[in-house]
Each structure stands twice: as C-alpha cells, then as structure tokens.
Amino acid sequence: MSLQKRDKKHLWHPLKQHQLNPDSLAIVKAKGCILTDEDGNEYIDAIASWYTCMYGHCNEYIVEATYKQMQQLDQVMFSDFTHEPVIKLSEELIKILPQNQNKIYFNDNGSTAVEAGIKMALQYYFNNGEKRSLFIAFENGFHGDTFGAMSVSGLSVYNDPFEDFLIDVKRIPTPNGSNTKTLLEQLKLLVSHHNIAGFIYEPLIQGAAGMKTHDAKGLNTILNFFKQHNILTIADEVMTGFGKTGKNFASDYLETKPDIMCLSKALTAGLLPMAITSCTQEIYDAFLSNDVAKGFFHCHTYSANPVACATAIAGIELLTSTKIQDSIKWIEQSHSKFNTEIKNHPKVETTRHLGVIFAIDLNVKMARYGDLRDKLLKFFMDRGVFLRPLGNTIYIQVPYVISKAELQKVYQTIQDALHFI
Ligand SMILES: *Cc1c(COP(=O)(O)O)cnc(C)c1O
C-alpha cells in the first residue's frame, strides 16, 4: 500500500480540512533544495519547508555536527545541569544578535518562544510591583497557535472557538510611511487608558499575512514611543531571523532594538525543533530575588537539548560564512531583476522583496484555502516546484544554497502560472 493510503488510517494533519482534502503527498527524501516523493517525482522546495532548511535539506555539515553531538551527550535536564553545546550556542548567538540582547532562554517552537516572551513581559512588571495586562500587536500579525501566541495574532480567521479564552490585545495598523502621526495618536490614547505590558511585532515582514512588508522608519518611531513609555517590545523574528531579510535579523534594519526577541525556524536549520526567547540584562535582573517565586517558572522538558544546540551552532557557522553571505546577496540581486520583469504584468497587483523573500499579490480574489488557491498549488507541484500561495499572494523564500538553474525554474514557473490563472 502506498504511504499516501496508509497515512489516512491514523493521521491527523495540521491546517487541513480532511473531508475536503484527504490526500497528503508522501515525501521520502530531501537533499539540498529538492524534495522527492514516493513515486520518484522531484520538487524544488521554494519556501525552504516553512523557512527552516535555509542551508538546504540534509546539509552534510549540519548533519555531521549533529551526529557527532548525538554520540557524546543526548539529553540532560536544563533546569538542573548545563553543557558545552548550550554555552557555546549562547556565546555564538550573542555575537550576532542586536547588542542589547544578553540572556538566552530556551523553548521548543516558535509559539512557545512567543508564549515565554509574553509571560516574561507580564512577570517583569509583576516582579516590579506593577500589574499590567494588555498587549498591543499589529493587525494581521501571526505569532503562533498556543493561547498567548494565538491571542496576539491578528490573523484570527479560524480562531472562533477560542475567542472567549484569549488574553486582552489591542491591534494597530502597520506603519505604511504616511500613517505615523495617526498611529502615535492612537498609541497615546491607548497608553492613557490602559496598563500596557508589551508590544509584539514581526519586524518589517509579516510572514503568515502573505509576506506583507511595512515601513521601517514608522516602526522605529513606534518602538521609540514604547521605549519612552516604559512598555516592553517583543520582536517576533521566528520567520525573519537568520539572514532571510538580507541581514542576520530584521531588527538590524532598525535603530531601536527590542527588549525581547523570539527565534526558531531557521535556528536549527530544519533538522530539529528548538526555539529561543532572548532578552536584555534589565529584564533578566527583574527576576533576581531572594524570593523563589520571582524566578521564571516556565519550562519545557527538552529545553536546550544538547543535540539541537549542536545543530544550531553549525547553522550559525554556515550563516556567518562568506559562502552563504554571498549567496544571500546574489539571490537578492536575482529577485531585483525578476521584480522588474514581473511587476508590470497585468495579473500582478503589487510585488515586494527583501533579502531572499519575494512576494507577488495577484489582482485576482482568492480565498486563503479556497479552490483557486488549490489549483495554483497543484499547478506548481505538477511543474516540480513547491510553492504555497497564501490568499492571492505567491511568495518565495528559497534556501540560501539554491542553484541558479533552480531559482530560474522557480521564477519561470511563477511566470507560467500568471497565464494559467
Ligand atoms: C511560524 C511562526 C510562529 C510559530 O512558530 P511554530 O514553530 O510554528 O510554533 C510564530 N511567529 C512567527 C512570525 C512565525 O512565522
């Protein structure tokens, strides 16, 4: 029996209405940018398996470092012990993170990195004798699927069953270059009526919203406003982190740095699940006390798993190598060129690109998980390219190791798709 058939017996996939869409393609192999299915068909992974495998699938350097660590120390409780991989990883991260970040906290995935960030902010004020409960977030932001992360996410189309159980959040529009004044007025009003614990944002690009970009200057002004009002800022760089935007972190484009940062996805190069919530020394210091209860009692069993740490160290070594940095630059240049070719196409409404990310909004109405979207996805797969349109947005986030021929094929397939729709 095929894997696809066997899958249906016991498995429940995420983000799927099984009654409408029962089949899942079985992938048996992945190498570099290529996924191979059980019938031997190959697909270019043009979104790096949700922005994780940025150094290519089964990258030998990463696999080797991981295997080496597996033979030495597999798992140990981070609440009671420490180990070299986690110490080295913290040192390497601090070298590349924005300068104000000084403490590294471990989680298992992007949602729990956000969850810990939210809890850190709430307890920071609590420990300082203040009760604050409201968060501010961007409209259409996405921060994950656990309750805190779901609460701050503005993309709540499918969250109706949980609406009554979410934490209190006020949403503001993203800065667009001309609304900064209105935004500041809105924020002043919010600050005068509420005890605000934090502002959470995806810096410069909102991934799940369809790679929507916003104005860096405007964002910087907002961040300054929060700094002046002693409100903590949480940068969710789960998607943007580790080179995707052309810099190590999207926050590197901004003058004002976040108090807390959430990282995952490319952190472990697609090999193992792990996430990090980093913060400033000032936040950490607010948890120091003779009172045990003022510590941070948030923990995941696999916190700072040594094998995942070794994988992450190897990932950072590759990220900071000249080879990968050069690749990011040429992908950026290719995207620029592709942009001039495609932006005036009659089916294209707008385009945008930053680093290795490229997005096109089609001037066709398309439901996020509707028929046309499914047809488009099939069109891409039939031509051997894995792209996952979101609503009327087609976007690329290719692994840094993609070849020129592979990238050309991705572009060509998108161009062909414009004739198809
Ligand atoms: C993917 C994502 C998350 C959630 O991460 P998971 O590992 O899927 O829980 C949070 N924030 C952003 C910006 C993301 O892209």
Side-chain angles (χ1 to χ4, degrees), residues 51 109-112 114 142-145 202 236 238-239 264-265:
Y51 339 130
N109 56 62
S111 305
T112 54
V114 168
F142 177 74
H143 301 288
D145 284 338
E202 290 164 272
D236 179 351
V238 170
M239 192 280 288
S264 187
K265 293 203 165 117

Side-chain angles (χ1 to χ4, degrees), residues 96-258:
I96 58 168
L97 280 169
Q99 267 203 337
N100 70 340
Q101 301 297 297
N102 203 35
K103 290 284 171 182
I104 307 287
Y105 198 86
F106 282 85
N107 309 280
D108 293 350
N109 56 62
S111 305
T112 54
V114 168
E115 210 70 30
I118 289 172
K119 286 172 74 176
M120 247 179 218
L122 290 172
Q123 195 178 341
Y124 167 84
Y125 293 110
F126 182 89
N127 283 359
N128 286 333
E130 266 189 81
K131 192 165 169 10
R132 296 199 187 190
S133 53
L134 183 83
F135 281 86
I136 296 179
F138 280 142
E139 286 164 1
N140 298 319
F142 177 74
H143 301 288
D145 284 338
T146 52
F147 272 85
M150 190 167 52
S151 305
V152 288
S153 294
L155 273 176
S156 57
V157 239
Y158 306 111
N159 284 346
D160 287 354
F162 318 112
E163 286 290 319
D164 294 345
F165 311 99
L166 303 180
I167 57 174
D168 206 7
V169 176
K170 294 272 185 242
R171 285 180 217 298
I172 57 170
T174 49
N176 60 17
S178 57
N179 64 353
T180 312
K181 234 176 116 187
T182 343
L183 270 171
L184 283 179
E185 274 157 26
Q186 199 180 343
L187 290 179
K188 275 183 202 148
L189 208 64
L190 283 172
V191 169
S192 65
H193 287 85
H194 301 276
N195 287 324
I196 298 163
F199 167 58
I200 181 157
Y201 60 106
E202 290 164 272
L204 303 188
I205 300 203
Q206 295 182 297
M211 299 294 159
K212 293 279 185 319
T213 48
H214 53 255
D215 177 48
K217 215 165 144 230
L219 177 56
N220 213 52
T221 308
I222 297 177
L223 293 176
N224 273 329
F225 174 91
F226 288 118
K227 276 259 135 87
Q228 282 158 15
H229 289 80
N230 182 30
I231 292 166
L232 295 181
T233 55
I234 307 174
D236 179 351
E237 295 228 24
V238 170
M239 192 280 288
T240 48
F242 303 99
K244 277 83 160 269
T245 63
K247 293 188 189 265
N248 287 341
F249 300 97
S251 293
D252 295 340
Y253 284 96
L254 302 158
E255 253 166 65
T256 308
K257 305 303 176 194

